[in-house]
Amino acid sequence: MATFRAVRIDKTDAGQSARLTDFDDNDLMDGDVTVRVEWSTVNYKDGLAVSGKAPVVRRFPMIPGIDFCGMVETSTHPEWKPGDRVILNGWGCGETHLGAYGEKARVNGDWLVPVPGGMTGREAMAIGTAGFTAMLAVMALQRHGISPDRGPVIVTGAAGGVGSVAIALLAKLGFRVIASTGRPQEEPYLKNLGASEIVERKELSAPGKPLARERWAGAIDTVGSTTLANVLAGTRYGGAVAACGLAGGMDLPTTVAPFILRGVSLLGIDSVMCPQPPRREAWKRLATDLDRGKLQTMTNEIQLPGVLVAAPAILDGRIRGRIVVKIG
Ligand code: NDP
């Protein structure tokens, strides 16, 4: 019997629990590509899945982990052959399909993208779903015509994974970046990534007015709830807000005022089911538009057992930047 090391989530009457164990190759799910997983990462959703704090996992047993980078071992898919270096993020990986926190994964080849030239597997997962989502948000703002001459862009949840990559991307593209954080001690870190102004989290998290002073042309919001409402209220005429997260709550207690009186647009960002053309474009742009030195400064590396410790920590907002997981 062939086995591989993996984090496994089981559900019993006592609840859900995660542990590191040996997983039987025969228990892998259907797929036309088998990948030797080399790197993964810990995203906010992974924290929810591993700790069981939200119903992210919808099949048991489950190998969690929503994204990985690795080498194709076997393939019957026309696009992929053994030795190809591939990325998978989203598509239900770690939710409905056995995921990334194991040395082996068998998946649908249609979900994969090639690792962009010049990018290492470690860098791909230092970016991971969080960085990919930040890139989708930047692309959405740009599609809406938000350019550096229109004014600054605010990033909420700034010291987190999506926030950190978003700041580095926006700064490299020439935007003036305002970083909103609940960790003022991270000001030097955020300024090193490219932020030029820091706004305290509490300034945006308390209920505010339907319209506020026009402060930013664009926003990338990872927090949701009253924070997103205040971000909308402070957006300049004709500006746009890319909403991608719920770290502060899933609700949105806003009014129509920013939309009908200032022509502000709310742009939804989803990384999971993102179709292949924008998916591949985002990964290509991450290879060129993200400063690798800054990516390195925001990344900490752990091994597979460390996932069990990092999962609750990311939910508590104690992780700065990105965590990359060396598998195997
Ligand atoms: P992180 O935990 O790394 O970052 C979240 C940040 O939000 C924290 O670092 C903290 O930043 C801030 N924060 C945490 N709790 C609160 C709170 N209660 N109120 C206000 N701010 C808070 O997570 P990620 O960056 O990986 O993900 C961020 C969000 O984006 C998550 O909600 C995640 O589910 C979502 N997401 C969505 C995707 C999509 O496809 N739409 C894909 C990836 C992520 P600070 O300390 O600086 O204030």
Side-chain angles (χ1 to χ4, degrees):
M1 179 180 85
T3 63
F4 60 91
R5 295 297 279 166
V7 173
R8 173 181 165 132
I9 300 180
D10 287 287
K11 192 175 186 180
T12 62
D13 290 345
Q16 196 178 307
S17 63
R19 68 197 157 101
L20 190 63
T21 185
D22 289 322
F23 201 91
D24 191 334
D25 275 26
N26 293 322
D27 292 335
L28 282 170
M29 292 168 75
D30 286 347
D32 48 9
V33 182
T34 303
V35 179
R36 167 70 46 190
V37 179
E38 293 165 344
W39 297 96
S40 184
T41 160
V42 181
N43 299 280
Y44 192 85
K45 193 187 260 179
D46 296 314
L48 292 171
V50 172
S51 64
K53 286 255 168 74
V56 169
V57 176
R58 275 164 282 144
R59 177 234 193 235
F60 298 93
M62 174 53 77
I63 299 175
I66 63 168
D67 46 13
F68 66 72
C69 183
M71 182 93 77
V72 172
E73 268 189 359
T74 60
S75 167
T76 55
H77 188 281
E79 190 175 352
W80 310 109
K81 58 179 187 323
D84 285 346
R85 295 176 60 244
V86 291
I87 296 170
L88 188 150
N89 63 287
W91 300 115
C93 182
E95 300 182 60
T96 52
H97 194 94
L98 293 176
Y101 296 154
E103 292 163 335
K104 203 177 271 195
R106 185 169 301 134
V107 298
N108 181 342
D110 292 342
W111 297 343
L112 299 169
V113 300
V115 179
M119 190 185 279
T120 66
R122 187 181 188 280
E123 285 169 341
M125 282 302 105
I127 295 166
T129 297
F132 172 76
T133 303
M135 188 76 247
L136 290 181
V138 169
M139 285 162 54
L141 292 179
Q142 288 184 316
R143 261 198 316 276
H144 194 80
I146 306 298
S147 50
D149 57 304
R150 297 272 303 273
V153 174
I154 186 166
V155 176
T156 63
V162 177
S164 295
V165 178
I167 292 170
L169 284 170
L170 289 165
K172 188 158 184 219
L173 292 168
F175 286 93
R176 187 177 138 74
V177 185
I178 304 171
S180 165
T181 184
R183 290 181 272 181
Q185 71 276 17
E186 297 298 353
E187 180 167 343
Y189 164 79
L190 295 167
K191 289 205 162 156
N192 180 54
L193 291 182
S196 36
E197 187 184 331
I198 307 294
V199 168
E200 278 206 43
R201 181 196 291 179
K202 60 176 187 262
E203 218 187 289
L204 294 173
S205 58
K209 293 182 182 158
L211 288 176
R213 181 165 61 89
E214 294 178 55
R215 292 170 76 183
W216 34 79
I220 296 180
D221 177 65
T222 71
V223 174
S225 192
T226 42
T227 299
L228 177 53
N230 287 321
V231 164
L232 286 163
T235 302
R236 288 185 187 172
Y237 193 93
V241 176
C244 64
L246 44 58
M250 200 153 173
D251 59 329
L252 179 52
T254 187
T255 73
V256 295
F259 311 117
I260 66 171
L261 297 177
R262 288 196 182 149
V264 169
S265 294
L266 182 55
L267 313 173
I269 305 298
D270 168 58
S271 64
V272 178
M273 303 306 288
C274 176
Q276 277 287 0
R279 185 178 283 270
R280 289 184 183 219
E281 187 195 341
W283 277 109
K284 267 198 198 135
R285 283 199 52 184
L286 283 159
T288 54
D289 292 6
L290 182 61
D291 183 305
R292 303 290 171 89
K294 287 182 180 170
L295 179 64
Q296 179 57 27
T297 64
M298 68 176 87
T299 304
N300 288 302
E301 182 177 322
I302 62 172
Q303 311 276 325
L304 195 49
V307 164
L308 300 173
V309 180
I314 198 166
L315 298 184
D316 291 347
R318 285 186 278 121
I319 303 292
R320 184 180 87 176
R322 301 281 301 128
I323 301 177
V324 73
V325 186
K326 187 165 172 43
I327 309 275

